Amino acid sequence: MRSRNTWSLLQVARGLLLGSVSLVVAEWPQGVPLDDFITAERDIALQGVLANIGPSGTKVPGAGAGFVIASPSRTSPPYFYTWTRDAALTLKTLVDDFIFGNTALRPYIDDYIHSQAILQTVTNPSGTLLPNGGGLGEPKFNPDGSRYNGNWGRPQRDGPPLRAIAMIAYSNWLIENGELERVNKTIWPVIANDLSYVGQYWNSTGFDLWEEVSGSSFFTTHAQYRSLVEGAELAQALGQPCIACAQAPQVLCFLDSAYWNGEYFTGNINGNFNRGGVDANVMLASIAGFDINASCDSPSLQPCHSRMLSNFKVFVDTFRNPSLYPINSQFPSTSGIALGRYPEDIYYTGNPWYLITTGAAEFLYDAVARWSKQGFITVDDTSLAFFKDLYPDIEAKTYKKCSKTGPFRQILDAVTAYADSFVSVVQQYTPSDGSLAEQFLKTAPGSPTSASDLTWSYAAFVGMTHRREGHFPPSWTQSVTPAPETCSPGSIAGVYAPATAAGAPNVTIGCTSTVLFVVNASTYYGENIYLSGNSSDLGKWDLNNAMPMQSSNYTDARPMWFAQIPLTAGETVTYKYAREQDCGQPWIWETVNRTLEVPACVEGSTEVLLETDDAFVGERGSSGGC
């Protein structure tokens, strides 16, 4: 039961959020008990999420219905967009909250489903829905759902599985409450497109959740696996086929064998990253896939898994280095600390993130919940170092629940206190209005920085409070089986169709052939290369609809920009490249036109049928110095 003091804090919190209370309440949040802080801040965080969702979100005017905006921040940094990944993670939190009893959230969930059905059909720089689903890998869109045409790290392959997971959770609730027909007709077609994308592209590289490196990401692979497992169960319940779901064992085989290095999970592989591999994405993946009914040795890699505990210790200890994060020098070695993305991070100088520090607490609450449910803790050589910090007398053996004061209970209490200490760090650096930005400074005074009112930060706080209070989402691992002994990488070509019953337009497309455009163009930092041409696929010479090219393979020796684009088969295309300069300077067009004949299509093929080898002809750009 909430205390009178807590209720007064809630009233203050609501007033602060609405701007109706003076900020003279100096004792909040740092000066109140942790439980009271969590109760009040949870209310603020949920309202912070809803304020960033269109069409009625108070901080995101102009956002379309159901679109989750990352942040109201329009400049420095510009986050006034909807990211498929962030939106899906946020909606999963709202779906959980709805299932736990907050029925007022249902309109937000229904609006989201409608918005995503439409979004799946929007042609974008990553491609289209038809014929091969390439456009589903587009990471972000404008707040009204139109295409974002700027240069970006694309494709990103975590959005479709995370969106499927959120909608599957809602669909399962609807089925349990007598709405199977609605799920079958309206929601399943949206989910089916995303599952098709996962089955077709899980074995292809893409940009990670931080949108910085192209390769294979633990976070993405984990989400892909879960989506296929849950997708298969939902399909069976609906009497629908899910051919893509047959890839789940091979995704698990890759997850189980490719990332573990003997001490921790390498966050990203299959690329040139210039990083050591310690990355928050592993921990975030584990909490996103938490299942209270999964055993600690489940191949789904739950937070209480020995390898996950070892990974957690390595990750946290990395940020205990005071030369990396000076603010962490104040905390003892057994306490929670401020945590960032990865130690080599330089974005906004590489600061702690609220959602990651909150995520550490959730990770530990999850582990404690599972140990409590099963009644024992097994410590092995892999996890021993994690436990030693918190319970020095521990040994590699199994501790059973025998009494209220024995080692089992003492270990649980120690880990719970450890979890609380991470929340205390968030409390220490939360401003007096309760707002949660993306980051807070790694040096004193730890002020909020980067994007303000980050939706993901708010959603992460809400999710953490549910785990702390013992609220757990429905199980998903009941059909999980061990990974195959031998991995057989592959994929299954997807079947895609607009989800018209959910509101998507009935888009159609003729037969296309994929062309890989490659151009050598030396550029300065902040300059981008675009491709434009006379066909609708290339924007009809309109730079607003030109195709942004990728530079992830760019080197000084080979300044390569590329774009893989499906074009109408058999047509003759005239095209040229253009330089987008920084500081608002005029674009620089090539001085020549180029022509190619698009090859005849091969039905169902996504292979590149033609590759150009061009070199930019025209003036070079120069930075405006802004």
Side-chain angles (χ1 to χ4, degrees), residues 589-611:
W589 284 95
E590 270 197 301
T591 56
V592 298
N593 283 348
R594 308 172 187 276
T595 302
L596 62 77
E597 300 288 332
V598 181
C601 70
V602 178
E603 193 71 38
S605 173
T606 60
E607 299 297 318
V608 171
L609 300 182
L610 178 66
E611 179 176 340

Side-chain angles (χ1 to χ4, degrees), residues 34-35 38 365 420 423 463-471:
L34 182 65
D35 287 347
I38 290 172
Y365 293 137
D420 282 349
V423 186
M464 176 274 296
T465 65
H466 278 306
R467 304 302 175 264
R468 190 175 189 267
E469 295 167 2
H471 302 156

Side-chain angles (χ1 to χ4, degrees), residues 89-357:
L89 289 167
T90 298
L91 257 292
K92 180 59 169 64
T93 298
L94 295 186
V95 170
D96 288 347
D97 209 47
F98 168 76
I99 292 173
F100 297 146
N102 190 350
T103 57
L105 296 176
R106 186 164 185 173
Y108 293 93
I109 301 170
D110 291 338
D111 279 351
Y112 170 76
I113 293 169
H114 175 75
S115 72
Q116 299 308 294
I118 296 172
L119 209 62
Q120 286 184 338
T121 67
V122 175
T123 298
N124 57 68
S126 292
T128 55
L129 175 65
L130 305 176
N132 60 18
L136 299 180
E138 181 67 6
K140 74 175 187 178
F141 296 82
N142 291 321
D144 63 355
S146 60
R147 67 186 271 175
Y148 170 75
N149 214 46
N151 190 278
W152 208 252
R154 52 171 67 93
Q156 294 178 26
R157 306 198 190 278
D158 54 2
L162 291 169
R163 180 165 56 196
I165 289 167
M167 291 193 187
I168 288 170
Y170 185 51
S171 296
N172 288 335
W173 183 90
L174 290 172
I175 292 171
E176 291 173 2
N177 288 272
E179 296 191 51
L180 183 146
E181 184 177 351
R182 181 193 170 197
V183 173
N184 225 336
K185 179 181 179 181
T186 305
I187 307 177
W188 172 254
V190 185
I191 296 171
N193 284 332
D194 285 338
L195 296 177
S196 287
Y197 183 88
V198 174
Q200 182 165 349
Y201 295 105
W202 73 266
N203 199 30
S204 301
T205 57
F207 278 81
D208 69 334
L209 80 164
W210 310 130
E211 308 184 295
E212 294 173 343
V213 294
S214 182
S216 300
S217 167
F218 183 96
F219 180 87
T220 301
T221 305
H222 197 280
Q224 290 168 332
Y225 173 63
R226 178 179 178 177
S227 71
L228 295 179
V229 170
E230 290 199 282
E233 294 178 357
L234 179 60
Q236 184 176 14
L238 297 174
Q240 294 282 359
C242 184
I243 299 173
C245 296
Q247 289 292 298
Q250 294 307 325
V251 180
L252 177 60
C253 195
F254 181 63
L255 180 70
D256 183 64
S257 62
Y259 295 97
W260 178 249
N261 65 13
E263 186 181 8
Y264 60 91
F265 290 101
T266 303
N268 298 286
I269 59 175
N270 295 331
N272 297 316
F273 309 128
N274 296 317
R275 298 181 187 172
V278 173
D279 197 303
N281 88 56
V282 176
M283 178 191 72
L284 295 176
S286 188
I287 63 176
F290 176 61
D291 183 343
I292 186 63
N293 293 318
S295 65
C296 291
D297 60 356
S298 168
S300 60
L301 296 173
Q302 296 295 305
C304 63
H305 194 287
S306 291
R307 289 184 175 182
M308 275 296 171
L309 295 172
S310 177
N311 179 87
F312 184 84
K313 175 174 171 54
V314 171
F315 171 65
V316 173
D317 284 354
T318 298
F319 288 95
R320 291 194 186 279
N321 181 353
S323 64
L324 183 65
Y325 276 13
I327 62 170
N328 284 339
S329 61
Q330 65 185 293
F331 301 116
S333 60
T334 57
S335 169
I337 58 173
L339 297 172
R341 301 189 300 173
Y342 53 90
E344 302 87 356
D345 192 6
I346 59 172
Y347 178 63
Y348 271 77
T349 73
N351 294 295
W353 285 45
Y354 286 101
L355 71 92
I356 296 172
T357 308

Side-chain angles (χ1 to χ4, degrees), residues 12 30 50 53 83 116-117 125 155 175 179 197 286 288 293 356 366 390 400 460 470 495 508 559 608-609 618:
V12 170
Q30 287 78 25
L50 302 183
I53 301 178
W83 269 263
Q116 299 308 294
I175 292 171
E179 296 191 51
Y197 183 88
S286 188
N293 293 318
I356 296 172
D366 289 347
L390 306 174
K400 296 183 178 180
V495 177
T508 59
V608 171
L609 300 182

